[in-house]
Amino acid sequence: MKIRNFMGEDIDKIVNCWNAALPHDKVTKEEIIKKMLLDCNFSADGFFIACSGDDVVGFVNCVYRRVPIDAYSGLEENNGWISAFAVNDDEHFAEIGSALICEAEKYFESHGKYEISTGYYPVYFYQGVSKEHCEK
């Protein structure tokens, strides 16, 4: 397994990985483009891809505010968010997931973000996954 940053040609494989990992919360290519890649706070440096050969077997998208959400809000200087995370390799789930989270932690720390959560506003996908559908 290798972890690297996102490249444009990964998009279809990311959609396939997501849909394999979360079959009850599927996404489309258009949703990934609109909600992640076109987000004004997106950075390919914070989008980590786990690869096994040519396959994408997991990913994590890390964001922090580079642009305020509105005229009254700041950049939330200490905050970072994991807006999307998936691993579709049952055999190596823990290894891949741990490696991706480790990369996310290093990324956030290098940018001075120490309060990390999910539920990144305004780009929500789903408010958590169903335990009965995603138990490993």
Side-chain angles (χ1 to χ4, degrees):
M1 176 195 55
K2 174 183 171 186
I3 296 185
R4 61 171 173 75
N5 291 102
F6 169 80
M7 296 184 297
E9 61 266 20
D10 292 327
I11 188 69
D12 290 322
K13 292 178 181 180
I14 289 166
V15 171
N16 292 339
C17 176
W18 180 306
N19 291 339
L22 301 165
H24 297 280
D25 294 313
K26 291 186 177 187
V27 295
T28 64
K29 181 178 181 177
E30 291 74 24
E31 286 176 296
I32 295 290
I33 291 169
K34 180 180 177 185
K35 291 184 175 185
M36 286 174 33
L37 304 182
L38 294 178
D39 175 19
C40 61
N41 295 302
F42 174 78
S43 172
D45 290 343
F47 195 169
F48 299 97
I49 309 294
C51 299
S52 178
D54 290 336
D55 295 328
V56 170
V57 294
F59 64 87
V60 62
N61 185 42
C62 307
V63 294
Y64 62 88
R65 294 212 193 284
R66 291 169 168 77
V67 178
I69 192 79
D70 58 35
Y72 306 102
S73 301
L75 294 177
E76 300 180 72
E77 298 293 335
N78 295 322
N79 296 341
W81 293 267
I82 292 177
S83 72
F85 175 79
V87 176
N88 74 346
D89 184 331
D90 288 339
E91 187 176 339
H92 300 102
F93 181 85
E95 174 189 351
I96 295 167
S98 294
L100 287 167
I101 293 298
C102 183
E103 289 299 320
E105 289 173 337
K106 288 190 287 189
Y107 174 78
F108 286 128
E109 184 177 0
S110 73
H111 292 283
K113 310 303 174 194
Y114 299 100
E115 295 177 29
I116 312 307
S117 62
T118 60
Y120 165 63
Y121 179 80
V123 186
Y124 290 117
F125 281 99
Y126 303 100
Q127 291 297 309
V129 294
S130 168
K131 183 177 179 180
E132 66 266 11
H133 290 134
C134 296
E135 247 179 62
K136 295 273 181 204

